[in-house]
Amino acid sequence: MVTVIAILVCGALVWNVAGDGRWSTASASARAGDAPKEIQAPLQPGSPNAQEPATPPAAQQPPVDSTLVSKVKGEGKVVALTLDDGPWPEWTDKALSILARNDVKATFCMVGQQAKDHPDLVRKVVAAGHTLCNHSMTHDINLKKRTPQEMHGQMQETLDWIHKASPGTPVRWFRAPGGNWSEEVRQTAASLGMGSLHWTVDTNDWQKAGVPKMLQNVHGQLGPRGIILCHDGGGERSQTMAMLEQVIPELKSNGYTFVTP
């Protein structure tokens, strides 16, 4: 008789907990959550179960301006030299030699595929103290027509290969292949921490029209705070190297100081 009574009492308790006549895990959990909890004293530093203080969050980087930059900062006769489409065997080394002899720092706008194929040249440019610029992974001149994901991928992959060659090296600039800019291209570059770098002087050295024509382009287009575009990659660049041998000393003798953006 005692056993029967005990079974009936337990059944009633189970029925009341479930509420709807079935066992409910959620109901049991909710009720368990209502139970008073043991009050514990805070753990003292050095105690076995004490947790280390949380690492403070890294300082947030200021947003990058997406405005297209076509002139360098400064006053008067300051000029920036930029070289696109490298790094390239032979021609990047020759450019570095010319720059070193003339004590000039330049900005190298690197194509990601070239950085992937020639990491040693990336490191040489960095070791010489020059500035790096992202010039997309495949030099896609139609980049502004791509999807946002494709734009981002072209820029990010280039950054990845540059940083694989030279970890931690800042890449503060992006230059759109062909100068084909759009608001979305500039905003995407800014989202990756890069400003958008254009130019004021186009040597048109890729046309290989001869050194005199290249020099004419420079002297005809250059003004205070100008940015000169030429190439250390994309093919044979002997005319460009010959032009640099002449134009750098000429500009210096005319009172120009070479800077980076």
Side-chain angles (χ1 to χ4, degrees), residues 4-107:
V4 172
I5 293 173
I7 291 173
L8 292 173
V9 170
C10 289
L13 288 173
V14 170
W15 185 269
N16 288 334
V17 170
D20 61 354
R22 293 171 296 171
W23 178 254
S24 169
T25 304
S27 299
S29 299
R31 290 179 179 270
D34 294 336
K37 294 179 176 56
E38 181 181 0
I39 299 175
Q40 295 182 344
L43 293 171
Q44 297 302 313
S47 63
N49 295 320
Q51 295 182 351
E52 293 293 327
T55 303
Q60 187 173 4
Q61 295 298 317
V64 174
D65 191 346
S66 65
T67 302
L68 191 62
V69 174
S70 298
K71 289 189 175 182
V72 294
K73 293 181 180 179
E75 299 294 333
K77 289 187 169 183
V78 291
V79 60
L81 180 64
T82 64
L83 298 101
D84 286 15
D85 296 357
W88 201 273
E90 183 178 1
W91 307 115
T92 298
D93 274 327
K94 289 190 175 182
L96 289 172
S97 178
I98 294 167
L99 295 170
R101 287 200 307 272
N102 288 278
D103 192 25
V104 166
K105 300 302 181 190
T107 300

Side-chain angles (χ1 to χ4, degrees), residues 209-231:
V211 174
K213 178 60 176 175
M214 295 179 195
L215 292 172
Q216 181 183 339
N217 291 337
V218 174
H219 293 301
Q221 299 173 31
L222 182 61
R225 301 170 52 217
I227 300 174
I228 300 173
L229 165 65
C230 59
H231 297 79

